[in-house]
Every structure is written in C-alpha cells, then in structure tokens.
Amino acid sequence: MKKMTMADIAKVAGVSKTTVSRYFNGGYVKEETRQKIEKIVKEYDYEPNVLAANLKANKTHTVGIVCPTLTSYASSRMMMNIDQFLKKHHYATIIINTNHDELDEIKSITKLTQLRVDGIILLATSITMAHRDIASKSSVPIVFMAQAYDDGVSVINNDYEAGYKIGEYIYSNGHKNVVYAGVSRKDVAVGVIRRQGVYDGLQNVHPHFLETDFSAEKTIDKLNDYLKNHTCPTAIICATDTIAMGCMKVLKDHGLRIPEDVSVTGFGGYWTSTVMSPALTTIKFHYAHAGQTAGQIILDMIEEKEVERATLIDFTFIEGESVRSI
Amino acid sequence: MKKMTMADIAKVAGVSKTTVSRYFNGGYVKEETRQKIEKIVKEYDYEPNVLAANLKANKTHTVGIVCPTLTSYASSRMMMNIDQFLKKHHYATIIINTNHDELDEIKSITKLTQLRVDGIILLATSITMAHRDIASKSSVPIVFMAQAYDDGVSVINNDYEAGYKIGEYIYSNGHKNVVYAGVSRKDVAVGVIRRQGVYDGLQNVHPHFLETDFSAEKTIDKLNDYLKNHTCPTAIICATDTIAMGCMKVLKDHGLRIPEDVSVTGFGGYWTSTVMSPALTTIKFHYAHAGQTAGQIILDMIEEKEVERATLIDFTFIEGESVRSI
C-alpha cells in the first residue's frame, strides 16, 4: 500500500493541509475536525514523525504583536507586559501597528509569518471574515486579545460584568437622565458587550446613546453637538477614560461642575485619573495580568501544549469623586 | 594591472569595508574619511557599478524602529507619525521595544538587520560606545532620534531653547526658590541639554536639583522625601509632563494649591494637560513633524540621497494656569 501523506489525510478529511499540520502540531483545530482527522490517522495508521520534526525545527524565538494603535494606554500597557514576559522567557517581540485598519491587520499577520515568527498575538479591533480566514489557514499559532474569537484562542476583558457594575452604580445613585458615550458596534468587545453590560446594569433606565470613537477630540465635538439640542443629562457613562476626559473638558467649558451638575464615569483606570480633578470613577482592567496571560498562552501554543480557548481578564471598580447621589 | 576591489580600497584607506560600502551607497561617512576614499577611487580609477547594483537589489520595503518604551506619550506620537508617513510611501514598519535597556538597543539593531529591514530609526535614550560601534559597522542606514549623534544622522528636539524658554518664564515671574525635577545625565538630551537650557534661562536663580526618572511613581516618592527636609519651593520646573503630574499629585496631597502656593511647569504638551486642573504651563514639541522628518530622512538614506546630519525639531510654548507671578 502506498504511504499516506499529509495531503491525502487533508483530502480524505475534507480540510486544508494546514489544518492537518496544525492538528499534528497541537495548534487549535475544531473539535469536530479533530475527531475526523484522528479517525483517518488511526484508520490508515499514519506516522507523522518526520513532518512534526521538520515543523518543530527552525524556531526563531520571536513573537509578533499586531496592534491597532500605539497611543492607547490600554494597548501599550498590555504590550509592555507581553514584551517583558516574553523577554524573561528568552523570546524577542516585534510589533506592527495597523492604525485601526482591518486590512492592515490581515497584511501584518502575513508579514509576520514571512518574518518567520513562532507565534502571533493580535490586539484586534474586530473579527471579520478575513480574520477568520487567515487565522484558520495560519501555520503560526495566533492568540486574539481584547475580542472574543469563537473559532480560536482569545484573552478578553470581562467587559459585560465591568459594564454591568458601572451601570448598576449609576442606577443605584438615582440617575434617570443618562447618556452613554460609546463606540461603534464593529468593536464587539467595547461597542456591543461592554455597552450591553452598562444597559443591563441600568435596569429600567434607558440611556441616550452618543456614538463617538476612541479619541477625546471626536468626543468633544459630539458632546458639544448633543448639548445644543438636548437637556443636560445628570450622568454620562463613558466607554473609556479618554472619552471621559473629553466629556469633562466640554462640561467644564460649559461652566458645569463635576459631579454637582453632571456625574461622569470611565473605563480604563489610567493613572492620570488619580491626578485629574475630580478623580474619575472608573473600572481598571488588569492589563499586566492580561499581557502575562497572553504571553504564557502563546508560549504554550508554540510548545504545542493544551490551552484554554477563552480567558477572561478581571477588573477592579475604582470609586473616585466624579459621581454624586441624587 | 589587477582590478581594484572594495576590500583593497578599504585597506589602502585604513577603514572598514562597510565604510567603503556606505561611501558608495550615499550613507554617512566622516568628511575626512570621505576625502581619503575619494582620492583613492580617483587614483585607481575604481568602478563601483556592479557593487552598487548588488547592494541596491533585495529591498524589503521595511523600516525598523527601536524604541525605549511603549507607554511614553512622546515616543508613541513620534512612532505613529513615522509609521503613517512610511505607509504612505509604501513601506512597512516593525517596532522593537527595549524597556530602557541599552544592551537591548544594540541587540535590536542586530535583530532588525537579520530581519533584513532597509533602514532603522532608533529612539535613543543615550548614545554609548556600543551604539557608536554598531552604527559605524551597520550595513543598514540608521537615523538617531531624540539624542544627537555627532558621527551620524539625527533628528532632535530643540531641548536647549525649550529649556531656556521655561527657565526664563519662571525667572520673569519672580520665583527665587525653585526646584528642577529632572532625569539622569545619561540621557544627554533631557538630562543635560534641556536642564542646561532651564538653568541658563533662570539667570542668577540656582534651582535645587531633584533627580527622578520618567515615571510619575518615582517622582511622587522623590518629592515626598524632599518636602520632609526642605522648605517648600515656590516653583517646580519638571523635565516632562508626566513628572509634572506626579508633582501635582504630591502637592495636592499636601493640601497645597497650584499655582497659589506652588507653580508647576512641564515639557511635552500632552493633551491631558488641557483637561487637567489647573491647565499645565508646558512646552509642546512638534512630534508629528519629528516623525515625518525622521521618516523622510530614512527614505532618503535608503535611496542613497544626501541628508542633513542633524535636524532640530521646534516647539511651542503653552501658557496654562499653573504658574503665578510673585
């Protein structure tokens, strides 16, 4: 009988050759597919030793990080922690910035693969069909950060619980006229899940949604416009600390006091909040832990160990002086 | 007569082969060396066409950036602008973070060269013998940012004039008991030149030097210690906005008002200053211009064009509400 090749197994299983390669290298493969390949391997008594040895060789001890921006506090903290963790484990890190360009995220994964990194950590802004496509074909293990990826491995903030905590806090402080300053639904973690947490925590209070982006500049424009045509809310829940800083600037420019006239909250727990006046009530995600966790997971994947598919990163509620009870 | 090789020219000129290669590729070579090589080339009627053509081939259209940290506002802004500029010119950028580790800066240059980048931009914290050594041997053009490099090409902030402006402003507002919260002399740009500018601007006022690093955390510890054993100054000039934020926190914790009790200034012009209360009087370096300039220079060097050896980046003085006249 002719010796079975990896291509043959792929053909029989109806999957790609790289999926079979990932199967043998301990990379992530859907449970259903895994069982299918396993069955064929047993049936044909396939011996993958040579292949596995080839693929194991030629490690560069380098991990690539793809990030949407270099100027976000959250991304920077996570990357610093990934980098420090990997350095301790004798891995180098190279970073590619995508400027919030989805197409660039895909191109960057290809570029890092060409540079022969051993693994990739993607700080994703959204997960599109193109992401799924490249992730399923990638010969290099990928960890998704910040956005849940149901077909692979991800490290994500506990956005729903964090949002719920803030929503509940504003509700329990008696606010009824609430604005939620958030981002587009394309960012599932912040635009959908964090927002849903806030809305659920607010119980029967329905906030007005003010759509902005992650910049203070756009937030300033949007809130100025809003205040022209609406009564001033008693509380503004902001999807990030940067958005909160933009709102606080507008409120101050309008001669409104925080929290006497308007309460403001953020998400992030950036240290500048502590020097801000008043101190911002916010949520601090555990960025150091997130970075170390992603670092450990990508090393485990490179070393072909079993990993959790989704790891939730916890948070701390920080009560500042920017919310009053009414 | 035997045909002259590049190695022969190097031998006759008493320089390395890479220096000769850089001479032919328009890279930076000391004027004295340049003249020496030129003379030999003329004398032996050397024809470098084949060599130049070989070196021109195999471009990867990738520029590497080596940076000391990912969480500094100034570095992040400069890198974002380098990256955007290079993308527009169809170059990819890959970034390596060194965590303020000088040895890592050297290793990162080697790593980027192995990854076959066409050029390197180094956001340097200091320029050591090891930097000079690797820069002189590098086959890849290097632009130094933030620190002047007398043997090569650099893009630097006009730290002396910026420092002088702040020193003069504090002096003209009548302050006599002044603290300068700055960083170590190892960072020549900030620790020596910016500081000298401040001291010269202060005329006959001699500030007390409080040595900290670039973190708010260390500044907070240092200033708390200082206030235990010294009378409170009427003004604190801080070497960065982050240091200023640390100082403002300590002053607030001591129940001191800014600027009524103590005046505070920074350097940086980070946007958070505008939301801070009171708004910080500071210097804004033109980071976007710095990034674009470095991008243009490295492209010119890759394309073997003539470049300026040192480009000074200008600044804007921002008058906030954190200084009072006494």
Side-chain angles (χ1 to χ4, degrees):
Chain A
M1 191 179 125
K2 182 179 165 285
K3 197 164 164 34
M4 191 90 177
T5 68
M6 191 170 69
D8 298 329
I9 295 176
K11 211 171 171 183
V12 177
V15 298
S16 72
K17 211 173 130 184
T18 47
T19 304
V20 177
S21 137
R22 265 187 295 137
Y23 169 85
F24 285 118
N25 287 283
Y28 177 70
V29 177
K30 263 189 199 165
E31 193 46 43
E32 195 195 311
T33 312
R34 182 181 299 278
Q35 284 173 10
K36 214 186 280 176
I37 298 175
E38 206 167 304
K39 201 168 151 244
I40 297 161
V41 167
K42 278 184 188 157
E43 216 173 298
Y44 291 85
D45 203 18
Y46 177 71
E47 179 51 66
N49 283 354
V50 181
L51 169 73
N54 276 346
L55 286 169
K56 265 189 197 177
N58 290 319
K59 294 283 184 225
T60 58
H61 278 254
T62 305
V63 167
I65 304 180
V66 181
C67 68
T69 174
L70 297 169
T71 55
S72 138
Y73 179 97
S75 316
S76 306
R77 291 281 145 176
M78 283 192 283
M79 286 197 286
M80 287 293 278
N81 280 287
I82 294 170
D83 191 34
Q84 281 169 18
F85 180 89
L86 290 174
K87 277 204 179 102
K88 257 189 235 158
H89 290 80
H90 311 293
Y91 270 74
T93 313
I94 59 180
I95 300 165
I96 299 187
N97 166 48
T98 64
N99 252 321
H100 287 284
D101 181 323
E102 279 162 23
L103 191 64
D104 243 27
E105 286 185 359
I106 307 299
K107 282 199 286 187
S108 302
I109 293 173
T110 309
K111 172 101 191 162
L112 287 169
T113 308
Q114 284 163 355
L115 291 173
R116 300 188 49 256
V117 297
D118 297 337
I120 295 172
I121 298 175
L122 175 67
L123 277 67
T125 44
S126 63
I127 294 186
T128 63
M129 282 309 293
H131 285 90
R132 290 175 190 280
D133 188 50
I134 198 161
S136 71
K137 285 181 188 153
S138 175
S139 56
V140 172
I142 303 180
V143 173
F144 287 80
M145 276 192 96
Q147 304 286 344
Y149 177 45
D150 47 12
D151 264 348
V153 175
S154 48
V155 176
I156 43 181
N157 291 322
N158 195 342
D159 280 298
Y160 182 81
E161 291 297 334
Y164 193 94
K165 174 73 199 167
I166 285 280
E168 196 181 35
Y169 180 77
I170 290 296
Y171 172 78
S172 66
N173 275 286
H175 293 274
K176 302 267 182 289
N177 183 3
V178 176
V179 161
Y180 178 68
V183 303
S184 143
R185 288 193 166 270
K186 271 180 74 178
D187 183 325
V188 174
V190 182
V192 178
I193 299 173
R194 186 177 297 178
R195 178 177 169 185
Q196 192 59 50
V198 169
Y199 281 41
D200 289 352
L202 280 169
Q203 320 292 335
N204 60 345
V205 172
H206 299 292
H208 182 98
F209 180 59
L210 188 71
E211 184 169 328
T212 176
D213 60 18
F214 287 97
S215 74
E217 291 77 4
K218 181 148 184 191
T219 303
I220 288 169
D221 288 347
K222 287 283 184 158
L223 186 57
N224 271 320
D225 277 355
Y226 180 83
L227 292 178
K228 277 180 201 148
N229 308 308
H230 297 81
T231 60
C232 187
T234 63
I236 306 179
I237 299 175
C238 303
T240 74
D241 281 5
T242 303
I243 293 174
M245 286 206 254
C247 288
M248 285 166 88
K249 179 163 172 57
V250 171
L251 296 171
K252 281 182 190 171
D253 289 349
H254 279 72
L256 296 162
R257 293 160 307 162
I258 303 159
E260 292 82 353
D261 300 315
V262 186
S263 297
V264 177
T265 64
F267 282 85
Y270 315 153
W271 75 266
T272 45
S273 311
T274 60
V275 237
M276 281 173 68
S277 182
L280 187 63
T281 293
T282 188
I283 292 284
K284 189 181 179 65
F285 288 109
H286 299 172
Y287 301 114
H289 182 59
Q292 288 152 11
T293 303
Q296 185 60 62
I297 290 176
I298 198 69
L299 289 192
D300 285 348
M301 287 172 85
I302 292 167
E303 288 165 16
E304 306 175 10
K305 293 179 188 162
E306 285 277 320
V307 297
E308 291 284 331
R309 292 186 50 178
T311 306
L312 269 185
I313 299 299
D314 218 356
F315 61 87
T316 306
F317 174 69
I318 298 172
E319 191 164 24
E321 299 153 346
S322 64
V323 174
R324 77 167 183 125
S325 182
I326 56 174
Chain B
M1 192 178 127
K2 183 181 165 284
K3 197 163 165 34
M4 190 90 178
T5 67
M6 192 170 67
D8 298 330
I9 296 175
K11 212 170 170 184
V12 176
V15 298
S16 71
K17 211 172 131 182
T18 47
T19 305
V20 177
S21 139
R22 265 187 295 138
Y23 168 86
F24 285 117
N25 286 284
Y28 177 69
V29 177
K30 262 190 201 166
E31 193 46 43
E32 194 193 326
T33 312
R34 183 181 297 278
Q35 286 173 10
K36 214 186 280 176
I37 298 174
E38 207 167 307
K39 199 167 154 245
I40 298 161
V41 168
K42 278 185 185 154
E43 215 173 301
Y44 290 86
D45 204 17
Y46 177 70
E47 179 52 65
N49 283 354
V50 181
L51 168 73
N54 277 346
L55 287 169
K56 264 189 198 177
N58 290 318
K59 294 283 186 226
T60 58
H61 278 254
T62 306
V63 167
I65 303 179
V66 181
C67 67
T69 174
L70 297 169
T71 55
S72 139
Y73 179 96
S75 316
S76 306
R77 290 283 144 174
M78 283 192 284
M79 286 197 286
M80 286 293 277
N81 280 287
I82 295 170
D83 191 34
Q84 281 168 18
F85 180 88
L86 291 174
K87 277 205 180 101
K88 258 189 232 158
H89 290 80
H90 311 293
Y91 270 73
T93 313
I94 59 180
I95 299 164
I96 299 187
N97 167 47
T98 63
N99 252 321
H100 287 284
D101 182 322
E102 279 162 23
L103 191 64
D104 242 27
E105 286 185 359
I106 308 298
K107 281 199 287 187
S108 301
I109 293 174
T110 309
K111 172 101 191 162
L112 287 169
T113 308
Q114 284 163 356
L115 291 172
R116 302 189 46 256
V117 297
D118 297 337
I120 295 172
I121 298 175
L122 175 67
L123 277 67
T125 44
S126 63
I127 294 186
T128 64
M129 282 309 293
H131 285 90
R132 290 175 189 279
D133 187 50
I134 198 161
S136 72
K137 284 181 188 154
S138 175
S139 56
V140 171
I142 303 180
V143 174
F144 287 79
M145 276 191 96
Q147 304 287 344
Y149 176 45
D150 48 9
D151 264 348
V153 175
S154 48
V155 176
I156 43 181
N157 290 323
N158 195 342
D159 280 297
Y160 182 81
E161 291 296 333
Y164 193 93
K165 174 73 199 166
I166 285 279
E168 197 182 33
Y169 180 76
I170 290 297
Y171 171 78
S172 66
N173 274 285
H175 293 275
K176 302 265 183 289
N177 183 2
V178 176
V179 161
Y180 178 68
V183 303
S184 142
R185 289 193 165 269
K186 272 180 72 179
D187 183 325
V188 175
V190 182
V192 179
I193 299 173
R194 186 177 296 178
R195 178 176 169 185
Q196 192 58 52
V198 170
Y199 280 42
D200 289 351
L202 279 169
Q203 320 291 337
N204 59 346
V205 172
H206 299 292
H208 181 97
F209 181 59
L210 187 71
E211 184 168 328
T212 176
D213 61 18
F214 287 96
S215 75
E217 292 76 6
K218 181 149 185 190
T219 303
I220 288 169
D221 288 347
K222 287 284 185 157
L223 185 57
N224 271 321
D225 277 354
Y226 180 82
L227 292 178
K228 278 180 201 150
N229 309 310
H230 297 80
T231 60
C232 188
T234 64
I236 306 179
I237 300 175
C238 302
T240 74
D241 281 4
T242 303
I243 293 174
M245 286 204 255
C247 287
M248 285 166 88
K249 178 163 173 57
V250 170
L251 296 172
K252 281 182 190 173
D253 289 349
H254 279 73
L256 295 163
R257 293 159 308 162
I258 305 159
E260 292 82 352
D261 300 315
V262 187
S263 297
V264 177
T265 64
F267 281 85
Y270 315 153
W271 76 266
T272 46
S273 310
T274 59
V275 237
M276 282 174 69
S277 182
L280 186 64
T281 292
T282 187
I283 292 284
K284 189 183 178 68
F285 288 110
H286 299 171
Y287 301 113
H289 182 59
Q292 288 152 12
T293 303
Q296 185 60 62
I297 290 175
I298 198 71
L299 289 192
D300 286 348
M301 288 172 84
I302 292 167
E303 289 164 15
E304 306 175 11
K305 293 179 187 162
E306 286 276 320
V307 296
E308 291 284 330
R309 291 186 50 179
T311 307
L312 268 185
I313 298 299
D314 217 356
F315 61 88
T316 305
F317 174 70
I318 298 172
E319 191 164 24
E321 299 152 347
S322 64
V323 175
R324 78 167 181 126
S325 183
I326 55 174

